[in-house]
Amino acid sequence: MTVRRRILLFQLVTIVFVGVVVGLMLTTLKLTDDFVNRIDGVHSRFEAISDLDGLGNNYAEQLAEVLLLGPEQMPDFQLARQKMAEGFRVLAEVTRKEFATLGSLGDVQQELPEIEFAARLQEFYRAIDRAAERVFQAQAAGQQDRAVDIFRRSIEYRLSNDFEAMLGDARQEERGEVAEELARVRSTQHTVLIVAGVFSVLAVVAGLGLGLTLHHSIVRPVRLLVTGAEAIASGQLDHRIGTSRRDEFLVLSQSFNKMAESIERQRASLTSARARLEREVDQRTRELRQANDQLLELDGKRSQFLADASHELRTPLTILRGEAEVALRGKPGLASFRDALNRIQLYAADMARLLEDLIDFTRLEIDDVTYDFETVEAEDVVVAAVRDSEILGQQKQMEVQLLSRAPKQLIRADPRRLKQALMIGIDNAIKYAVPGGSIDIDIYRSDDILALTIRDHGCGIDAAELPFVFDRYYRGRNNASRAANGLGIGLPIARTIIERHDGTITLGPAPQRGAVLTIRLPIAERKTACES
């Protein structure tokens, strides 16, 4: 039998025991209630009979006073007669209530003589009351002696002997009924006590037997499980629980053994994973060390970059100086001074913005620089860049010239940023061009693309360096002799600007000599059509 069924059996026995106890209690309460009701009925009937005895005596006395004192005492007699009638009514009522408390047919049959007695007693009283009427009739006829004789023989004697004797027998009968009822209740109580005692003994024996069985069925398996758990906790993962039972503890033991096997496998897996993790940690440590070395190297480059950042300010400062020299040369007029100062103000603002770009670049956040796009003519931006680059070329006796124009070619661009990219390209060309030469700038359209080219006639660029020219901090071999102060950041900045304009920028060798920087931008009409 499984442990669950044993527990259910134990619960069933407990429920039966509780049910029997409750039944015995209810039976006892029922017996007590019936006994109280019967005793109350007998007591009420006993009192009604006793009252009739007193009322009968009062009835006789009032009738005697009427005979002796005359009709003036008739009201008292009538009151005594009413009380007698009320006494018989009370006796009938308590007798009816007593019958209502009887539960079995045998009890009803046993109490039938009481009803007959009440009827016989009331009939006896009526006979006496009829005799009283004869007394009144004889007295009214002036036959006082005859009235007294009737009173003595038919009323006083019968009330004093027969009526009181009947009442005495009734009281004695009620006393006997109380004694019988008390004896019956005591007998029933004795029987209930015997049954309760026997059943209690049986319940205790059954409870002890089932309790011992449950104790034997649960304690030992639980002890084995506790021992197994302690063994697993102490690291003995090879410990297993053996049992020959065929109940829930068999399933529990099997589950425990499976758990131990799973833990043992997991420990082996964790040991292997820990060894693998240690190897990976060693590898990551080496990688972190290498990364740290690279960071140190990069930090050195950034330190050098911060030291050389002022070099990028050379172009606007040169323009500012050139404008100042032009303004101070000879005896210019007020309009020339005003024009020079306006240009100086514009380039001072460009220099401030360039400083902001350099700061953004040092933080490696150049992509987050704000762009203000608008539809502009490409030729206007190129012409502005050529005009501003003339002073840069004057230092090396070089001419920056626009070979061809492309009027009415609209593009979506930030004019200031696009001009900055063109200035970087022109400045880079001036660095590598031969003094006294020229920088050629061309504009042409190919399908929906507008191309801007910047060509120098310098030493050119090696094909092996082409993949790296747009990398940050890259400085080519020619840079060592011709642009020693360069940082290698100009072309990367220009590429970022052009890519933000959805364009491309490339650098390659010129057909004969030098290098050519090509910028390709989408025509505005083509972009608008795509957006629609």
PDB file of all heavy atoms in Angstrom, residues 371-377 380-382 384-385 411-422 497 501:
ATOM      1  N   TYR A 371      25.339  70.009 -39.882  1.00  0.00           N
ATOM      2  CA  TYR A 371      25.373  70.433 -41.281  1.00  0.00           C
ATOM      3  C   TYR A 371      24.077  71.166 -41.585  1.00  0.00           C
ATOM      4  O   TYR A 371      22.992  70.693 -41.238  1.00  0.00           O
ATOM      5  CB  TYR A 371      25.529  69.242 -42.222  1.00  0.00           C
ATOM      6  CG  TYR A 371      26.934  68.663 -42.258  1.00  0.00           C
ATOM      7  CD1 TYR A 371      27.413  67.902 -41.201  1.00  0.00           C
ATOM      8  CD2 TYR A 371      27.769  68.880 -43.341  1.00  0.00           C
ATOM      9  CE1 TYR A 371      28.694  67.379 -41.225  1.00  0.00           C
ATOM     10  CE2 TYR A 371      29.061  68.349 -43.376  1.00  0.00           C
ATOM     11  CZ  TYR A 371      29.514  67.595 -42.314  1.00  0.00           C
ATOM     12  OH  TYR A 371      30.783  67.084 -42.339  1.00  0.00           O
ATOM     13  N   ASP A 372      24.214  72.307 -42.288  1.00  0.00           N
ATOM     14  CA  ASP A 372      23.056  73.088 -42.705  1.00  0.00           C
ATOM     15  C   ASP A 372      22.935  72.976 -44.218  1.00  0.00           C
ATOM     16  O   ASP A 372      23.571  73.733 -44.983  1.00  0.00           O
ATOM     17  CB  ASP A 372      23.214  74.551 -42.275  1.00  0.00           C
ATOM     18  CG  ASP A 372      23.267  74.704 -40.762  1.00  0.00           C
ATOM     19  OD1 ASP A 372      22.561  73.928 -40.075  1.00  0.00           O
ATOM     20  OD2 ASP A 372      24.007  75.568 -40.265  1.00  0.00           O
ATOM     21  N   PHE A 373      22.124  72.018 -44.671  1.00  0.00           N
ATOM     22  CA  PHE A 373      21.998  71.766 -46.109  1.00  0.00           C
ATOM     23  C   PHE A 373      21.018  72.742 -46.739  1.00  0.00           C
ATOM     24  O   PHE A 373      19.994  73.095 -46.141  1.00  0.00           O
ATOM     25  CB  PHE A 373      21.542  70.330 -46.356  1.00  0.00           C
ATOM     26  CG  PHE A 373      22.595  69.292 -46.083  1.00  0.00           C
ATOM     27  CD1 PHE A 373      22.669  68.637 -44.869  1.00  0.00           C
ATOM     28  CD2 PHE A 373      23.538  68.983 -47.049  1.00  0.00           C
ATOM     29  CE1 PHE A 373      23.634  67.695 -44.628  1.00  0.00           C
ATOM     30  CE2 PHE A 373      24.516  68.041 -46.823  1.00  0.00           C
ATOM     31  CZ  PHE A 373      24.568  67.390 -45.598  1.00  0.00           C
ATOM     32  N   GLU A 374      21.341  73.126 -47.983  1.00  0.00           N
ATOM     33  CA  GLU A 374      20.467  73.962 -48.788  1.00  0.00           C
ATOM     34  C   GLU A 374      20.790  73.710 -50.257  1.00  0.00           C
ATOM     35  O   GLU A 374      21.828  73.135 -50.592  1.00  0.00           O
ATOM     36  CB  GLU A 374      20.644  75.432 -48.432  1.00  0.00           C
ATOM     37  CG  GLU A 374      22.072  75.926 -48.599  1.00  0.00           C
ATOM     38  CD  GLU A 374      22.220  77.374 -48.170  1.00  0.00           C
ATOM     39  OE1 GLU A 374      21.895  78.249 -49.007  1.00  0.00           O
ATOM     40  OE2 GLU A 374      22.644  77.605 -47.017  1.00  0.00           O
ATOM     41  N   THR A 375      19.902  74.135 -51.115  1.00  0.00           N
ATOM     42  CA  THR A 375      20.128  73.977 -52.549  1.00  0.00           C
ATOM     43  C   THR A 375      20.938  75.172 -53.060  1.00  0.00           C
ATOM     44  O   THR A 375      20.486  76.323 -52.952  1.00  0.00           O
ATOM     45  CB  THR A 375      18.792  73.877 -53.291  1.00  0.00           C
ATOM     46  OG1 THR A 375      18.053  72.767 -52.770  1.00  0.00           O
ATOM     47  CG2 THR A 375      19.003  73.664 -54.780  1.00  0.00           C
ATOM     48  N   VAL A 376      22.125  74.908 -53.566  1.00  0.00           N
ATOM     49  CA  VAL A 376      23.039  75.978 -54.017  1.00  0.00           C
ATOM     50  C   VAL A 376      23.578  75.607 -55.398  1.00  0.00           C
ATOM     51  O   VAL A 376      23.519  74.454 -55.841  1.00  0.00           O
ATOM     52  CB  VAL A 376      24.189  76.168 -53.008  1.00  0.00           C
ATOM     53  CG1 VAL A 376      23.641  76.603 -51.660  1.00  0.00           C
ATOM     54  CG2 VAL A 376      24.996  74.893 -52.864  1.00  0.00           C
ATOM     55  N   GLU A 377      24.149  76.608 -56.043  1.00  0.00           N
ATOM     56  CA  GLU A 377      24.852  76.362 -57.294  1.00  0.00           C
ATOM     57  C   GLU A 377      26.281  75.952 -56.967  1.00  0.00           C
ATOM     58  O   GLU A 377      26.985  76.636 -56.214  1.00  0.00           O
ATOM     59  CB  GLU A 377      24.843  77.611 -58.176  1.00  0.00           C
ATOM     60  CG  GLU A 377      23.471  77.946 -58.724  1.00  0.00           C
ATOM     61  CD  GLU A 377      23.544  79.053 -59.776  1.00  0.00           C
ATOM     62  OE1 GLU A 377      24.673  79.367 -60.223  1.00  0.00           O
ATOM     63  OE2 GLU A 377      22.492  79.578 -60.141  1.00  0.00           O
ATOM     64  N   ASP A 380      29.183  78.514 -57.461  1.00  0.00           N
ATOM     65  CA  ASP A 380      29.407  79.575 -56.474  1.00  0.00           C
ATOM     66  C   ASP A 380      30.337  79.106 -55.371  1.00  0.00           C
ATOM     67  O   ASP A 380      31.230  79.850 -54.934  1.00  0.00           O
ATOM     68  CB  ASP A 380      28.063  80.008 -55.884  1.00  0.00           C
ATOM     69  CG  ASP A 380      27.164  80.672 -56.917  1.00  0.00           C
ATOM     70  OD1 ASP A 380      27.691  81.105 -57.956  1.00  0.00           O
ATOM     71  OD2 ASP A 380      25.935  80.719 -56.662  1.00  0.00           O
ATOM     72  N   VAL A 381      30.143  77.860 -54.899  1.00  0.00           N
ATOM     73  CA  VAL A 381      31.005  77.335 -53.838  1.00  0.00           C
ATOM     74  C   VAL A 381      32.438  77.175 -54.332  1.00  0.00           C
ATOM     75  O   VAL A 381      33.422  77.520 -53.648  1.00  0.00           O
ATOM     76  CB  VAL A 381      30.447  76.002 -53.321  1.00  0.00           C
ATOM     77  CG1 VAL A 381      31.320  75.465 -52.196  1.00  0.00           C
ATOM     78  CG2 VAL A 381      29.022  76.166 -52.817  1.00  0.00           C
ATOM     79  N   VAL A 382      32.610  76.677 -55.592  1.00  0.00           N
ATOM     80  CA  VAL A 382      33.958  76.467 -56.135  1.00  0.00           C
ATOM     81  C   VAL A 382      34.666  77.792 -56.343  1.00  0.00           C
ATOM     82  O   VAL A 382      35.859  77.942 -56.026  1.00  0.00           O
ATOM     83  CB  VAL A 382      33.870  75.665 -57.449  1.00  0.00           C
ATOM     84  CG1 VAL A 382      35.249  75.530 -58.080  1.00  0.00           C
ATOM     85  CG2 VAL A 382      33.265  74.300 -57.186  1.00  0.00           C
ATOM     86  N   ALA A 384      34.184  80.567 -54.709  1.00  0.00           N
ATOM     87  CA  ALA A 384      34.581  81.102 -53.401  1.00  0.00           C
ATOM     88  C   ALA A 384      35.836  80.408 -52.890  1.00  0.00           C
ATOM     89  O   ALA A 384      36.742  81.050 -52.338  1.00  0.00           O
ATOM     90  CB  ALA A 384      33.432  80.938 -52.413  1.00  0.00           C
ATOM     91  N   ALA A 385      35.922  79.095 -53.071  1.00  0.00           N
ATOM     92  CA  ALA A 385      37.119  78.385 -52.623  1.00  0.00           C
ATOM     93  C   ALA A 385      38.353  78.784 -53.415  1.00  0.00           C
ATOM     94  O   ALA A 385      39.454  78.931 -52.871  1.00  0.00           O
ATOM     95  CB  ALA A 385      36.883  76.886 -52.729  1.00  0.00           C
ATOM     96  N   ILE A 411      23.038  71.705 -56.389  1.00  0.00           N
ATOM     97  CA  ILE A 411      23.329  70.569 -55.501  1.00  0.00           C
ATOM     98  C   ILE A 411      22.786  70.891 -54.120  1.00  0.00           C
ATOM     99  O   ILE A 411      22.565  72.053 -53.771  1.00  0.00           O
ATOM    100  CB  ILE A 411      24.848  70.270 -55.422  1.00  0.00           C
ATOM    101  CG1 ILE A 411      25.590  71.517 -54.908  1.00  0.00           C
ATOM    102  CG2 ILE A 411      25.392  69.807 -56.772  1.00  0.00           C
ATOM    103  CD1 ILE A 411      27.066  71.263 -54.657  1.00  0.00           C
ATOM    104  N   ARG A 412      22.534  69.811 -53.331  1.00  0.00           N
ATOM    105  CA  ARG A 412      22.142  69.960 -51.918  1.00  0.00           C
ATOM    106  C   ARG A 412      23.401  69.876 -51.079  1.00  0.00           C
ATOM    107  O   ARG A 412      24.069  68.843 -51.035  1.00  0.00           O
ATOM    108  CB  ARG A 412      21.162  68.862 -51.509  1.00  0.00           C
ATOM    109  CG  ARG A 412      19.780  68.987 -52.116  1.00  0.00           C
ATOM    110  CD  ARG A 412      18.994  70.095 -51.474  1.00  0.00           C
ATOM    111  NE  ARG A 412      18.757  69.821 -50.051  1.00  0.00           N
ATOM    112  CZ  ARG A 412      18.170  70.663 -49.214  1.00  0.00           C
ATOM    113  NH1 ARG A 412      17.788  71.862 -49.657  1.00  0.00           N
ATOM    114  NH2 ARG A 412      17.996  70.341 -47.965  1.00  0.00           N
ATOM    115  N   ALA A 413      23.762  71.008 -50.429  1.00  0.00           N
ATOM    116  CA  ALA A 413      25.046  71.027 -49.727  1.00  0.00           C
ATOM    117  C   ALA A 413      25.016  72.064 -48.623  1.00  0.00           C
ATOM    118  O   ALA A 413      24.171  72.963 -48.589  1.00  0.00           O
ATOM    119  CB  ALA A 413      26.176  71.326 -50.708  1.00  0.00           C
ATOM    120  N   ASP A 414      25.959  71.872 -47.686  1.00  0.00           N
ATOM    121  CA  ASP A 414      26.285  72.910 -46.708  1.00  0.00           C
ATOM    122  C   ASP A 414      27.437  73.708 -47.324  1.00  0.00           C
ATOM    123  O   ASP A 414      28.568  73.204 -47.401  1.00  0.00           O
ATOM    124  CB  ASP A 414      26.696  72.261 -45.382  1.00  0.00           C
ATOM    125  CG  ASP A 414      26.994  73.295 -44.305  1.00  0.00           C
ATOM    126  OD1 ASP A 414      27.270  74.457 -44.647  1.00  0.00           O
ATOM    127  OD2 ASP A 414      26.981  72.922 -43.113  1.00  0.00           O
ATOM    128  N   PRO A 415      27.197  74.908 -47.787  1.00  0.00           N
ATOM    129  CA  PRO A 415      28.243  75.629 -48.522  1.00  0.00           C
ATOM    130  C   PRO A 415      29.539  75.767 -47.745  1.00  0.00           C
ATOM    131  O   PRO A 415      30.625  75.618 -48.304  1.00  0.00           O
ATOM    132  CB  PRO A 415      27.600  76.999 -48.797  1.00  0.00           C
ATOM    133  CG  PRO A 415      26.126  76.742 -48.731  1.00  0.00           C
ATOM    134  CD  PRO A 415      25.937  75.675 -47.711  1.00  0.00           C
ATOM    135  N   ARG A 416      29.441  76.050 -46.470  1.00  0.00           N
ATOM    136  CA  ARG A 416      30.665  76.247 -45.685  1.00  0.00           C
ATOM    137  C   ARG A 416      31.459  74.960 -45.574  1.00  0.00           C
ATOM    138  O   ARG A 416      32.693  74.958 -45.725  1.00  0.00           O
ATOM    139  CB  ARG A 416      30.287  76.766 -44.294  1.00  0.00           C
ATOM    140  CG  ARG A 416      31.482  77.120 -43.425  1.00  0.00           C
ATOM    141  CD  ARG A 416      31.018  77.733 -42.121  1.00  0.00           C
ATOM    142  NE  ARG A 416      30.270  76.779 -41.316  1.00  0.00           N
ATOM    143  CZ  ARG A 416      30.856  75.906 -40.485  1.00  0.00           C
ATOM    144  NH1 ARG A 416      32.173  75.851 -40.389  1.00  0.00           N
ATOM    145  NH2 ARG A 416      30.117  75.090 -39.776  1.00  0.00           N
ATOM    146  N   ARG A 417      30.755  73.831 -45.317  1.00  0.00           N
ATOM    147  CA  ARG A 417      31.467  72.559 -45.180  1.00  0.00           C
ATOM    148  C   ARG A 417      32.055  72.102 -46.520  1.00  0.00           C
ATOM    149  O   ARG A 417      33.177  71.613 -46.590  1.00  0.00           O
ATOM    150  CB  ARG A 417      30.505  71.496 -44.650  1.00  0.00           C
ATOM    151  CG  ARG A 417      29.956  71.783 -43.268  1.00  0.00           C
ATOM    152  CD  ARG A 417      31.025  71.706 -42.218  1.00  0.00           C
ATOM    153  NE  ARG A 417      30.480  71.969 -40.880  1.00  0.00           N
ATOM    154  CZ  ARG A 417      31.195  72.053 -39.784  1.00  0.00           C
ATOM    155  NH1 ARG A 417      32.512  71.908 -39.880  1.00  0.00           N
ATOM    156  NH2 ARG A 417      30.645  72.305 -38.619  1.00  0.00           N
ATOM    157  N   LEU A 418      31.269  72.277 -47.586  1.00  0.00           N
ATOM    158  CA  LEU A 418      31.773  71.870 -48.901  1.00  0.00           C
ATOM    159  C   LEU A 418      32.975  72.723 -49.304  1.00  0.00           C
ATOM    160  O   LEU A 418      33.969  72.218 -49.866  1.00  0.00           O
ATOM    161  CB  LEU A 418      30.653  71.988 -49.938  1.00  0.00           C
ATOM    162  CG  LEU A 418      31.016  71.560 -51.360  1.00  0.00           C
ATOM    163  CD1 LEU A 418      31.502  70.109 -51.389  1.00  0.00           C
ATOM    164  CD2 LEU A 418      29.816  71.725 -52.293  1.00  0.00           C
ATOM    165  N   LYS A 419      32.907  74.020 -48.988  1.00  0.00           N
ATOM    166  CA  LYS A 419      34.056  74.897 -49.267  1.00  0.00           C
ATOM    167  C   LYS A 419      35.260  74.455 -48.462  1.00  0.00           C
ATOM    168  O   LYS A 419      36.409  74.470 -48.955  1.00  0.00           O
ATOM    169  CB  LYS A 419      33.666  76.331 -48.921  1.00  0.00           C
ATOM    170  CG  LYS A 419      34.809  77.325 -49.084  1.00  0.00           C
ATOM    171  CD  LYS A 419      34.356  78.697 -48.613  1.00  0.00           C
ATOM    172  CE  LYS A 419      35.536  79.660 -48.580  1.00  0.00           C
ATOM    173  NZ  LYS A 419      35.152  80.991 -48.059  1.00  0.00           N
ATOM    174  N   GLN A 420      35.041  74.009 -47.206  1.00  0.00           N
ATOM    175  CA  GLN A 420      36.147  73.528 -46.373  1.00  0.00           C
ATOM    176  C   GLN A 420      36.819  72.322 -47.012  1.00  0.00           C
ATOM    177  O   GLN A 420      38.050  72.212 -47.042  1.00  0.00           O
ATOM    178  CB  GLN A 420      35.629  73.167 -44.975  1.00  0.00           C
ATOM    179  CG  GLN A 420      36.699  72.650 -44.037  1.00  0.00           C
ATOM    180  CD  GLN A 420      36.107  72.229 -42.692  1.00  0.00           C
ATOM    181  OE1 GLN A 420      34.913  72.371 -42.466  1.00  0.00           O
ATOM    182  NE2 GLN A 420      36.963  71.722 -41.823  1.00  0.00           N
ATOM    183  N   ALA A 421      35.983  71.384 -47.551  1.00  0.00           N
ATOM    184  CA  ALA A 421      36.576  70.217 -48.212  1.00  0.00           C
ATOM    185  C   ALA A 421      37.383  70.617 -49.442  1.00  0.00           C
ATOM    186  O   ALA A 421      38.480  70.079 -49.700  1.00  0.00           O
ATOM    187  CB  ALA A 421      35.468  69.234 -48.585  1.00  0.00           C
ATOM    188  N   LEU A 422      36.869  71.574 -50.234  1.00  0.00           N
ATOM    189  CA  LEU A 422      37.606  72.036 -51.410  1.00  0.00           C
ATOM    190  C   LEU A 422      38.902  72.718 -51.005  1.00  0.00           C
ATOM    191  O   LEU A 422      39.958  72.529 -51.652  1.00  0.00           O
ATOM    192  CB  LEU A 422      36.725  72.990 -52.226  1.00  0.00           C
ATOM    193  CG  LEU A 422      35.497  72.354 -52.902  1.00  0.00           C
ATOM    194  CD1 LEU A 422      34.624  73.435 -53.519  1.00  0.00           C
ATOM    195  CD2 LEU A 422      35.928  71.342 -53.949  1.00  0.00           C
ATOM    196  N   ILE A 497      33.285  64.960 -44.874  1.00  0.00           N
ATOM    197  CA  ILE A 497      32.370  66.011 -45.341  1.00  0.00           C
ATOM    198  C   ILE A 497      31.659  65.574 -46.616  1.00  0.00           C
ATOM    199  O   ILE A 497      30.435  65.708 -46.759  1.00  0.00           O
ATOM    200  CB  ILE A 497      33.143  67.319 -45.559  1.00  0.00           C
ATOM    201  CG1 ILE A 497      33.671  67.855 -44.214  1.00  0.00           C
ATOM    202  CG2 ILE A 497      32.250  68.357 -46.232  1.00  0.00           C
ATOM    203  CD1 ILE A 497      34.565  69.064 -44.341  1.00  0.00           C
ATOM    204  N   HIS A 501      27.565  64.499 -47.704  1.00  0.00           N
ATOM    205  CA  HIS A 501      26.838  65.078 -48.839  1.00  0.00           C
ATOM    206  C   HIS A 501      26.400  64.000 -49.825  1.00  0.00           C
ATOM    207  O   HIS A 501      26.004  64.318 -50.951  1.00  0.00           O
ATOM    208  CB  HIS A 501      27.710  66.107 -49.561  1.00  0.00           C
ATOM    209  CG  HIS A 501      27.844  67.405 -48.826  1.00  0.00           C
ATOM    210  ND1 HIS A 501      28.613  67.558 -47.683  1.00  0.00           N
ATOM    211  CD2 HIS A 501      27.284  68.639 -49.059  1.00  0.00           C
ATOM    212  CE1 HIS A 501      28.553  68.797 -47.256  1.00  0.00           C
ATOM    213  NE2 HIS A 501      27.742  69.494 -48.068  1.00  0.00           N
TER     214      HIS A 501
END
